[in-house]
Amino acid sequence: MNSIKFALFRRAPKSISNALARDQKVNVNAEKAILQHDKYIELMSPLVANSVILPALEEYPDCCFVEDTAVNIKPGVLVFTRPTEPSRQGEVDSVVEAIDRYHKDLKTYRMNSKSDGGDVLVIENHLFVGNSTRSGPSAHQEWDKICRENGMIFHAINVGNDALHLKSLVTYLGQDIGLMVVNNHSGLKVMEEIKLHITNLTFIKITNILGANMVRIGNTVFYQGLFDPEIKYLTNLFHKISWQNLDMSELAKVDGALTCCSLLIK
Ligand code: CIR
């Protein structure tokens, strides 16, 4: 069953070669990045009943990373964020407009404090928000208030220095699969912290940091950067799932993973 009712994507701009990057020395091939991103949209958008693909915004080099602009915290509730980096704050208005136009029936919030959607991990009625360079204490207070208004439980969780966002380290693929977590110091710390709050959860350790960030739509899971034994293990364990490989290596150079290129709404 596919619980995702609406998906929003934005084409990658040619200016993606000027996107923010933790490694200042990267050299992004914009043409290749756009093709990789087009493939992502081509494979994912048909799986959702209502998909909207917005055009690129050349003045915003990071505009295809729409996950950072809004978070669907539970069915019917969407929180528009305020991305931390000044060069990204203008991305939100056009996402607000698109949601207003194509998917009106939502309760929405608009945050005052700075926080990136990539820092927000929803596991059933728990909302974990990274304590990272992109989401700090005032955002945590705001997320906590939103959670309380929506019957959810808020937790702040340290991201450490290995990753940009919380969801670079872990992603949740639903109760039947569990949580993918990168097998490094920061990932394992996050796992221990989550275990304190949710006991009946399966954790699957992934070697490569890129691999721990996966997207599930219905019974399809999109992944990248897994080693052969890992994908064999997952395929054997979860044979009802269709495991789809993607190559988003150019976007990874500017810290983009898989979840960040779509806004999926239940
Ligand atoms: C940034 O630094 O904001 C972008 N270059 C990458 C954002 C990736 N977003 C995400 O994983 N949620």
Side-chain angles (χ1 to χ4, degrees):
M1 201 196 65
N2 185 359
S3 56
I4 313 279
K5 299 207 168 70
F6 180 88
L8 184 130
F9 307 90
R10 186 189 290 289
R11 296 278 176 205
K14 294 191 195 84
S15 59
I16 192 161
S17 33
N18 300 320
L20 298 167
R22 294 197 315 152
D23 177 357
Q24 299 288 308
K25 293 192 288 286
V26 290
N27 202 344
V28 177
N29 178 333
E31 223 168 282
K32 192 170 166 199
I34 291 169
L35 288 176
Q36 290 178 342
H37 187 263
D38 283 350
K39 184 82 190 163
Y40 175 101
I41 296 178
E42 184 192 316
L43 292 176
M44 281 190 199
S45 58
L47 302 182
V48 182
N50 293 304
S51 285
V52 167
I53 304 165
L54 300 176
L57 296 171
E58 287 300 335
E59 64 277 36
Y60 294 105
D62 289 288
C63 65
C64 61
F65 304 125
V66 287
E67 173 186 56
D68 292 321
T69 63
V71 183
N72 178 214
I73 59 168
K74 63 191 271 194
V77 184
L78 186 71
V79 179
F80 293 108
T81 62
R82 187 163 164 235
T84 292
E85 291 295 327
S87 69
R88 299 204 56 192
Q89 286 169 4
E91 293 170 24
V92 181
D93 282 345
S94 67
V95 175
V96 173
E97 265 168 44
I99 293 293
D100 244 22
R101 188 153 164 205
Y102 299 107
H103 196 47
K104 293 186 200 320
D105 303 329
L106 288 170
K107 175 177 168 189
T108 57
Y109 289 86
R110 191 144 184 185
M111 288 190 74
N112 293 315
S113 326
K114 294 176 193 152
S115 187
D116 288 9
D119 264 326
V120 185
L121 171 72
V122 179
I123 307 178
E124 310 304 328
N125 65 334
H126 294 262
L127 192 102
F128 294 89
V129 182
N131 184 18
S132 75
T133 53
R134 299 292 180 93
S135 305
S138 56
H140 293 158
Q141 275 182 12
E142 212 173 332
W143 281 115
D144 187 20
K145 186 163 177 281
I146 293 169
C147 281
R148 278 190 267 126
E149 286 174 22
N150 287 281
M152 298 184 72
I153 307 162
F154 164 83
H155 315 271
I157 193 159
N158 277 330
V159 170
N161 298 325
D162 300 338
L164 182 65
H165 290 128
L166 177 59
K167 272 188 289 188
S168 323
L169 300 170
V170 330
T171 43
Y172 181 56
L173 298 183
Q175 258 164 352
D176 52 340
I177 300 183
L179 207 75
M180 298 293 166
V181 49
V182 61
N183 194 5
N184 69 14
H185 179 71
S186 304
L188 298 179
K189 265 182 87 176
V190 162
M191 179 179 90
E192 292 308 323
E193 181 73 30
I194 294 174
K195 271 188 186 165
L196 296 177
H197 305 289
I198 310 180
T199 45
N200 56 344
L201 199 57
T202 308
F203 291 86
I204 299 175
K205 293 179 193 163
I206 302 292
T207 313
N208 187 333
I209 187 153
L210 265 188
N213 182 280
M214 300 188 196
V215 174
R216 179 175 186 178
I217 302 180
N219 278 339
T220 306
V221 172
F222 295 90
Y223 69 91
Q224 69 176 334
L226 293 185
F227 291 110
D228 282 349
E230 287 178 316
I231 190 59
K232 277 200 187 111
Y233 170 78
L234 290 171
T235 315
N236 284 335
L237 202 57
F238 305 105
H239 44 85
K240 285 199 190 118
I241 298 291
S242 157
W243 296 89
Q244 293 254 0
N245 192 14
L246 279 169
D247 174 10
M248 301 279 272
S249 50
E250 286 306 304
L251 295 102
K253 290 180 182 172
V254 289
D255 306 313
L258 295 188
T259 57
C260 62
C261 297
S262 48
L263 173 56
L264 303 176
I265 301 182
K266 291 181 181 170

